[in-house]
Amino acid sequence: MEHGAEAIKKQVRVYIAVFAALGTLTVVTVAVSYLHLPFHQALAVALFVATIKGSLVAAYFMHLVSEKKIIYAILILTVVFTLFLFYLPLWTVGSGLVAHVS
Amino acid sequence: MSALIKYIDKPHPVTGVTNSKLGIWCFIASEIMLFGGLFSAYVLLRSGSTTWPHAATVLNVPLATLNTLILITSSVTMVMAWASSALRDYNKFRMYLGLTVLLALAFLVIKGIEYGHKFEHHHFPKESIFFAIYFTMTGLHGLHVLGGIVVNSYFLLFGKRMWDEHPEQFTGRIEAAGLYWHFVDLVWIFLFPLLYLV
Amino acid sequence: MNHASHAHPLPFWRKYIFSMDHKVIGVQYAVTSLLFLFFGFGLISLLRWQLAFPSQPVPFIGQFFNDTQMVGGIMLPEFYNQLGAMHGTIMVFLGVVPLAVGGFGNYLVPLQVGAPDMAFPKLNMMSYWVYFIGGIVMLCSFFVPAGAAQSGWTSYPPLSDVAPLGQTVWLIGMVFLITSSLLGSVNFIVTIVQLRAQGLTFFKMPFFVWAQFVTSFLLLLAFPPLEAASVMQLMDRLAGTSFFLPSGLVVGGQPLAHTGGGNPLLWQHLFWFLAHPEVYVLILPALGIVAEIIANNTRKPIYGYKVMVFATIFLGFMSFVVWAHHMFLTNMGTSMSSFFQITTMIISIPSVVILTALILSLWGGSIRFNTPMLFAVAFLPMFGIGGLTGLPLGLTASDIHLHDTYYVIGHFHYVVAPGTIFALFAGIYFWFPKVTGRKLSEFLGKLHFWPSFIFINGIFMPMFILGLAGVSRRLYSPEYAHAQAVQPLNVFISYCAWGLGLAQIPFILNFVISLFAGKKVDSNPWESTTLEWQTTSPPPHENFEHEPVVLHGPYEYSVPGQKKDFLPQNMREN
């Protein structure tokens, strides 16, 4: 990320644009929820929108678009382990372990 | 304490980051794993559950939408506070950081009203797995918001001296506080649809 | 070196109690965790009475316990469970890890990388005090109604969800301990990445620093899922939720009031997601200590330094994907158990690589058998036994028979007790002169080592036989039929355990006496190469007179053409 005064002023305009996008996407995702889509479609839309919003925050507010390598390295490691954390409970369900309760 | 510790205000020539920036990112990495554990629990419990209520019928979506917008706005004011600090404009910085704290407080107040409504209708964590997850995750997120308020208020109230003496180091600290705050926002961005919308 | 803090000497409480100097904090960690180690050992020595002489009154000590713990000196099952659960918790979370990482890591890492202090001194101080509070909370749990946690150190629900109050206190204590580790690990990572002295590239770092570096990542990324799980278990216990309680649970003949719908396996997943990397948190710093001591006392570079570093990184990475081998009995699917069997077999490879490299380091060295070296050399076969006996537990076919028997206890204690704890003793004997300027007595050191070595094997070797005979690790009374056949071994183990306790007396005497009357030594008594020995003993505030400039690798021993047989990292060739 640049620290020069000009660069920061330029970034401020980006922040405002990101803010507008985040606001719009929030309204969109809430509006979609009122359509009462089937569960899987609703989940897909909600996660898709949330991922875009999250990426915008991470990329611009947290400056990840122009961050140093060491930060990327730590985050990639974290994401890999998070995926394991997510995948394996799912796998447990897949193997028929979870008793469905009524 | 130690005047000899290097790379407090200037980035390390090889890694290109300051100590506080690397430190806060490591902390955020651990926070990702913390919320990762909770989201993973959400996935497991929800897929094992047959009685998941339609969220919109038991939770207040308009109020939560308002809260989402508030938190997003506070993220913008936070990053503006950092930018003002980097541009050495103390008054603007103080205004933006003050706004961030106020918005965060507003978020908690609205959250409190939401909780109050739930309790009035006798919805407690023990009612079902859904409410257990709802209260635990939003509660833990709320605690993180509270943490952000404490940190930002500290800089707002006691930051002037450090600003005068080491503006560069101060800006670094605001950036670190900002990174944490954006992370709190990021968690909510995922919590909101998963709890309220699907 | 001359700046404000030297002109105004700090008041006593800032210098020694709420100190921000990493050396003071390191010593605080070390002393506190040693006390916890002895306390945790005391708990299990008491428990051993019940296993050796079931339902007989405990002589003498028995009278000091109240009647929720012992009746007429006879240990109650609930108290037996508390002793077991708290022994595990205290040894792992309050003893070994704080000593290895908080004590040795804090004291040595900044010195070995040539830094004036840790990157965040205030955070460092906080991490000690948060650990201290966590420890006090754990100790207090013995005094709440119905006593301390009694669901094993693993706290498996549903049992732990419906256990008495002590379990809640345990969880609160854990939240403190987890927070402390997080603060510490952030500090280590930043210190090692940012504050290495000029010229100290990553591949010139002593292996100990590498070990601490990987360990910090394990603590940073593996602990938070357990924190999440602890929060959920707290909710289950305090707010009546059912995260870990399935529907239709009946406890003591009464259907539980909880709504159910939860999943007890969720706890097991999140717990072992931490607790398997935790095994490497226990073992990696020990490997680091042993590597330093072996290089120093064989007077030659350790064999395959780079390979060891890569093996350590790989080990750290793999340790995140083996956790469910603790859960083979949970009826997981074949594909999942195959995955974890394969990863478990894979992770044994880097462990063997490191161990082999350390053993090969002995080859052709002119070995000095001083006390630190004795402990370090003893570590190697002990860790080897611990590792090899783990293989049958990593394969479902044999694990189903051995699961939850004394075989498992024997296996992991070989890794952490004669393994890690011996390495930690080696480290204490090795670095004591650096911390105090005085040497520990060699005679008392050997009097500590040999009996400890014999007794500790006497404890854990027979456990393999007990385990193969099917003796359960958790049962209160060994009076069931197939345990009776091997009961004499239980008696033998208990005598060895008490003998091991007695064998620590020379150590305690040595520690206290040498503190005041030990032989004074110069700054580098072992003629070592790494940076911590190139400053005074004890090192001054902010460690070095001038920031060291590193010129050589960490193990330049017996370099041809040199006058001396060691070449310090920051010294020009002589």
Side-chain angles (χ1 to χ4, degrees):
Chain A
M1 148 207 51
E2 297 295 325
H3 272 282
E6 272 313 303
I8 290 177
K9 280 180 187 149
K10 212 196 263 173
Q11 277 182 38
V12 167
R13 286 196 288 276
V14 177
Y15 299 149
I16 305 298
V18 170
F19 178 43
L22 289 174
T24 317
L25 285 169
T26 306
V27 175
V28 167
T29 191
V30 173
V32 169
S33 81
Y34 282 101
L35 295 178
H36 298 295
L37 293 173
F39 172 70
H40 287 285
Q41 287 173 30
L43 184 69
V45 172
L47 280 182
F48 181 66
V49 175
T51 309
I52 294 179
K53 285 168 70 183
S55 310
L56 284 174
V57 170
Y60 295 102
F61 289 173
M62 299 172 93
H63 314 303
L64 275 185
V65 277
S66 58
E67 198 42 274
K68 298 291 179 288
K69 260 190 263 167
I70 182 144
I71 308 289
Y72 291 144
I74 289 172
L75 284 179
I76 289 170
L77 194 67
T78 312
V79 168
V80 169
F81 292 142
T82 319
L83 288 180
F84 273 112
L85 197 56
F86 269 101
Y87 189 51
L88 283 147
L90 280 177
W91 210 347
T92 314
V93 177
S95 66
L97 188 67
V98 177
H100 280 262
V101 289
S102 49
Chain B
M1 163 87 179
S2 268
L4 288 176
I5 293 175
K6 293 188 290 187
Y7 314 122
I8 288 178
D9 47 359
K10 297 264 191 300
H12 187 287
V14 178
T15 59
V17 292
T18 56
N19 294 346
S20 63
K21 192 168 189 179
L22 184 60
I24 196 74
W25 272 112
C26 285
F27 179 71
I28 290 173
S30 88
E31 293 281 83
I32 293 174
M33 296 304 286
L34 172 67
F35 282 99
L38 285 172
F39 278 113
S40 152
Y42 168 93
V43 173
L44 180 66
L45 292 175
R46 181 160 188 177
S47 44
S49 160
T50 48
T51 52
W52 200 265
H54 193 266
T57 57
V58 282
L59 299 181
N60 191 332
V61 177
L63 221 46
T65 311
L66 178 63
N67 244 350
T68 310
L69 294 172
I70 286 176
L71 212 52
I72 288 172
T73 315
S74 82
S75 232
V76 179
T77 55
M78 186 75 220
V79 80
M80 294 299 284
W82 166 78
S84 312
S85 175
L87 292 170
R88 302 283 182 275
D89 186 340
Y90 189 75
N91 287 332
K92 257 190 165 174
F93 156 77
R94 210 172 50 178
M95 180 192 79
Y96 280 123
L97 195 65
L99 269 176
T100 310
V101 172
L102 283 180
L103 287 165
L105 282 171
F107 178 90
L108 283 187
V109 168
I110 293 178
K111 196 83 239 167
I113 294 170
E114 245 192 285
Y115 276 10
H117 284 166
K118 295 292 157 299
F119 296 149
E120 263 171 40
H121 292 89
H122 301 287
H123 293 310
F124 291 101
K126 64 182 174 190
E127 183 182 327
S128 65
I129 280 291
F130 170 76
F131 276 106
I133 288 177
Y134 165 77
F135 278 107
T136 307
M137 292 186 94
T138 56
L140 201 65
H141 177 262
L143 282 180
H144 279 78
V145 173
L146 194 64
I149 291 176
V150 170
V151 170
N152 287 341
S153 308
Y154 172 81
F155 287 129
L156 199 60
L157 298 174
F158 306 105
K160 185 77 172 85
R161 223 183 91 195
M162 173 159 246
W163 162 273
D164 290 335
E165 285 171 10
H166 307 286
E168 204 164 351
Q169 187 182 349
F170 186 73
T171 306
R173 288 192 171 193
I174 295 301
E175 189 183 6
L179 286 170
Y180 168 79
W181 189 248
H182 302 313
F183 174 76
V184 173
D185 184 21
L186 200 66
V187 170
W188 182 257
I189 284 177
F190 283 93
L191 268 186
F192 171 59
L194 286 179
L195 289 178
Y196 290 83
L197 300 183
V198 293
Chain C
M1 244 358 229
N2 50 343
H3 71 94
S5 73
H6 279 240
H8 307 282
L10 293 162
F12 176 84
W13 63 278
R14 286 298 307 274
K15 203 167 169 186
Y16 296 108
I17 300 176
F18 293 102
S19 172
M20 292 194 266
D21 185 331
H22 73 100
K23 296 186 289 297
V24 179
I25 297 171
V27 171
Q28 288 176 326
Y29 258 118
V31 171
T32 318
S33 53
L34 273 172
L35 291 175
F36 274 119
L37 277 180
F38 285 118
F39 180 69
F41 178 77
L43 296 182
I44 208 70
S45 313
L46 190 56
L47 181 147
R48 286 300 324 174
W49 177 268
Q50 166 64 22
L51 287 175
F53 309 108
S55 305
Q56 292 179 35
V58 183
F60 184 67
I61 311 171
Q63 56 186 306
F64 297 110
F65 291 89
N66 66 32
D67 41 325
T68 58
Q69 295 165 329
M70 293 190 188
V71 174
I74 297 171
M75 194 180 296
L76 294 173
E78 291 79 10
F79 187 56
Y80 173 92
N81 286 341
Q82 290 172 31
L83 290 176
M86 293 309 284
H87 165 73
T89 307
I90 286 173
M91 291 311 241
V92 172
F93 297 109
L94 289 162
V96 175
V97 175
L99 182 55
V101 181
F104 282 101
N106 245 316
Y107 199 95
L108 293 172
V109 165
L111 281 165
Q112 288 197 332
V113 301
D117 206 314
M118 296 286 268
F120 307 113
K122 257 184 219 157
L123 210 61
N124 204 13
M125 176 181 82
M126 257 171 69
S127 106
Y128 171 76
W129 285 104
V130 172
Y131 154 72
F132 188 81
I133 296 170
I136 296 296
V137 169
M138 286 289 185
L139 286 183
C140 287
S141 70
F142 279 101
F143 303 103
V144 302
Q150 40 188 284
S151 314
W153 81 285
T154 53
S155 287
Y156 275 10
L159 183 63
S160 56
D161 266 15
V162 296
L165 182 62
Q167 182 65 24
T168 305
V169 184
W170 186 90
L171 288 165
I172 294 169
M174 280 311 286
V175 170
F176 278 106
L177 295 177
I178 294 170
T179 310
S180 156
S181 315
L182 289 181
L183 298 179
S185 56
V186 169
N187 221 335
F188 277 108
I189 292 171
V190 176
T191 305
I192 294 170
V193 171
Q194 299 274 95
L195 298 185
R196 276 168 293 123
Q198 200 189 330
L200 186 65
T201 58
F202 269 107
F203 281 105
K204 281 184 183 159
M205 294 197 309
F207 182 68
F208 178 77
V209 179
W210 267 111
Q212 292 283 347
F213 190 51
V214 175
T215 301
S216 300
F217 274 101
L218 300 185
L219 285 174
L220 185 76
L221 300 177
F223 247 131
L226 181 64
E227 189 149 26
S230 298
V231 168
M232 286 189 273
Q233 201 178 94
L234 271 175
M235 288 294 284
D236 274 5
R237 296 179 54 84
L238 298 178
T241 58
S242 306
F243 282 114
F244 303 123
L245 295 172
S247 305
L249 201 64
V250 177
V251 175
Q254 295 292 319
L256 219 56
H258 287 65
T259 48
N263 190 334
L265 286 185
L266 176 61
W267 170 270
Q268 295 197 20
H269 275 299
L270 294 174
F271 180 85
W272 288 114
F273 191 88
L274 154 83
H276 200 83
E278 180 81 4
V279 173
Y280 295 93
V281 169
L282 297 169
I283 199 69
L284 284 177
L287 288 167
I289 291 170
V290 169
E292 300 299 300
I293 293 172
I294 284 184
N296 178 265
N297 286 305
T298 52
R299 315 306 293 165
K300 63 196 268 292
I302 52 174
Y303 182 90
Y305 164 78
K306 269 198 179 175
V307 176
M308 277 174 71
V309 169
F310 287 124
T312 308
I313 296 170
F314 184 62
L315 195 67
F317 185 84
M318 287 302 291
S319 73
F320 279 91
V321 287
V322 295
W323 80 86
H325 68 212
H326 296 268
M327 301 164 58
F328 283 144
L329 256 66
T330 58
N331 188 28
M332 63 174 70
T334 336
S335 59
M336 194 166 160
S337 77
S338 309
F339 175 83
F340 281 106
Q341 290 181 71
I342 292 166
T343 54
T344 304
M345 293 303 118
I346 291 174
I347 202 173
S348 62
I349 296 170
S351 319
V352 170
V353 167
I354 296 173
L355 188 63
T356 312
L358 286 174
I359 292 172
L360 283 176
S361 300
L362 300 173
W363 189 266
S366 48
I367 301 176
R368 307 187 301 206
F369 276 112
N370 45 34
T371 313
M373 188 61 174
L374 284 176
F375 274 104
V377 171
F379 166 89
L380 301 174
M382 297 295 101
F383 178 58
I385 293 172
L388 288 174
T389 51
L391 292 177
L393 298 172
L395 296 167
T396 47
S398 38
D399 181 61
I400 283 170
H401 175 66
L402 295 171
H403 189 89
D404 253 353
T405 66
Y406 264 93
Y407 184 91
V408 180
I409 306 277
H411 152 66
F412 72 74
H413 278 85
Y414 258 104
V415 176
V416 289
T420 299
I421 292 180
F422 266 32
L424 295 174
F425 275 131
I428 291 173
Y429 283 96
F430 190 66
W431 279 293
F432 192 85
K434 181 47 55 184
V435 180
T436 61
R438 294 172 190 273
K439 225 172 173 172
L440 287 163
S441 149
E442 278 290 312
F443 172 74
L444 285 173
K446 280 170 183 149
L447 200 63
H448 175 211
F449 172 75
W450 286 108
S452 296
F453 182 70
I454 292 164
F455 283 129
I456 212 161
N457 280 289
I459 297 171
F460 297 118
M461 196 56 86
M463 285 191 182
F464 293 125
I465 304 169
L466 286 185
L468 290 168
V471 178
S472 163
R473 66 186 278 193
R474 293 200 199 272
L475 292 188
Y476 162 68
S477 167
E479 287 166 307
Y480 44 100
H482 60 278
Q484 275 305 303
V486 285
Q487 180 58 17
L489 282 178
N490 251 333
V491 179
F492 177 75
I493 291 173
S494 292
Y495 278 118
C496 285
W498 301 324
L500 183 65
L502 292 179
Q504 305 314 304
I505 293 173
F507 171 72
I508 298 169
L509 285 178
N510 199 354
F511 195 91
V512 176
I513 294 171
S514 301
L515 211 53
F516 302 102
K519 190 179 139 217
K520 282 201 174 174
V521 288
D522 68 350
S523 62
N524 192 0
W526 310 109
E527 305 196 304
S528 180
T529 52
T530 43
L531 286 178
E532 81 270 30
W533 299 103
Q534 315 312 326
T535 180
T536 53
S537 301
H541 187 63
E542 296 178 343
N543 296 346
F544 297 93
E545 281 298 322
H546 307 285
E547 196 204 314
V549 177
V550 173
L551 304 165
H552 313 288
Y555 305 114
E556 300 283 303
Y557 289 105
S558 307
V559 181
Q562 298 292 315
K563 274 187 222 134
K564 288 183 180 164
D565 75 338
F566 69 106
L567 180 57
Q569 284 193 276
N570 61 342
M571 192 181 281
R572 299 209 171 281
E573 268 109 279
N574 46 27

